[in-house]
Amino acid sequence: MFDGKVAVVTGGARGIGRCIAGEFARNGAAVCVIDKLENDYFVGDVAEEETLRRFAEKVVADYGRVDYLINNALPLMKGVENCSYAEFNYALRVGVTAPFYLAKLFLPHFAPGAAIVNISSSRDRMSQPQTESYAAAKGGVSALTHALAVSLAGRVRVNSISPGWIDTSFARYAGPDARQHPAGRVGDPLDIANMVLFLCSDKAGFIDGENICIDGGMTRQMIYHNDFGWTLNAE
């Protein structure tokens, strides 16, 4: 399906990113991964401007073009009580600045029909305590998505995905963990990778500037104390 295409995946050495990279490769694409962890293409920190420049230069030198840019690298998750100024800004550099700057660096090299998919999170609209750096980064990339879609109109389609609970080990859950999801199960990386490939395909040619939440319905479920079996045990 993607024979001869070039896919760039940030944070592609493990978890959801590794699954995305693997699915692109399985469908015929050449895959260029950047990650701080060891991988077969490029090891580096997407928070660093010079690293992004060197990575982009390598991709262009190796392939001459980019068909798909998947911004998946994981921001730091720390909260207002223990997150330093430097740490908060580091999370934003990974989660928002890197997707922006890679889009800018690759702009002259996007092939006709190119697509960008940013991996946000359902935490762009809901939170747990002490997660401000991660939530801000994910909210930022969701907003960046529609801004880029407008700026790149007619050149590159730009969408984002907001995963909910995705178990990157493909573990299967039973009981309350599964039943709290209207879909009846916890997600796995293929749930996200399948949507990434769809959004990059011609079948999604009329989807642009959109954020698609893939969370098994969790963010659609209203929860009230003592209603439908939900009980708050505050400590």
Side-chain angles (χ1 to χ4, degrees), residues 43-94:
V43 177
D45 187 347
V46 299
E48 304 300 331
E49 178 183 358
E50 183 56 32
T51 297
L52 295 175
R53 285 184 178 276
R54 289 190 292 107
F55 173 65
E57 287 169 359
K58 176 173 171 55
V59 172
V60 172
D62 288 347
Y63 296 102
R65 56 189 257 254
V66 171
D67 293 281
Y68 314 117
L69 169 59
I70 316 302
N71 291 301
N72 167 80
L74 188 68
L76 180 72
M77 183 186 287
K78 296 188 79 171
V80 67
E81 293 181 1
N82 61 3
C83 186
S84 70
Y85 184 90
E87 288 172 327
F88 191 87
N89 279 285
Y90 180 80
L92 296 182
R93 296 206 319 269
V94 171

Side-chain angles (χ1 to χ4, degrees), residues 39-194:
N39 66 84
D40 293 335
Y41 192 77
F42 193 99
V43 177
D45 187 347
V46 299
E48 304 300 331
E49 178 183 358
E50 183 56 32
T51 297
L52 295 175
R53 285 184 178 276
R54 289 190 292 107
F55 173 65
E57 287 169 359
K58 176 173 171 55
V59 172
V60 172
D62 288 347
Y63 296 102
R65 56 189 257 254
V66 171
D67 293 281
Y68 314 117
L69 169 59
I70 316 302
N71 291 301
N72 167 80
L74 188 68
L76 180 72
M77 183 186 287
K78 296 188 79 171
V80 67
E81 293 181 1
N82 61 3
C83 186
S84 70
Y85 184 90
E87 288 172 327
F88 191 87
N89 279 285
Y90 180 80
L92 296 182
R93 296 206 319 269
V94 171
V96 183
T97 307
F100 165 78
Y101 200 53
L102 284 175
K104 183 178 178 69
L105 290 171
F106 287 131
L107 193 54
H109 308 288
F110 280 119
I116 296 172
V117 180
N118 297 319
I119 305 301
S120 183
S121 169
S122 59
R123 293 172 186 266
D124 65 359
R125 68 204 68 187
M126 59 193 299
S127 291
Q128 292 176 305
Q130 303 305 318
T131 60
E132 281 79 8
S133 65
Y134 188 88
K138 292 304 188 180
V141 80
S142 292
L144 176 67
T145 295
H146 60 72
L148 281 173
V150 174
S151 293
L152 305 185
R155 302 164 70 185
V156 183
R157 287 186 303 106
V158 188
N159 293 288
S160 60
I161 296 171
S162 289
W165 181 1
I166 304 296
D167 190 295
T168 57
S169 70
F170 289 86
R172 292 294 176 228
Y173 293 78
D177 285 334
R179 291 198 306 270
Q180 69 183 344
H181 294 79
R185 66 174 177 87
V186 172
D188 66 50
L190 276 172
D191 292 315
I192 308 306
N194 288 337

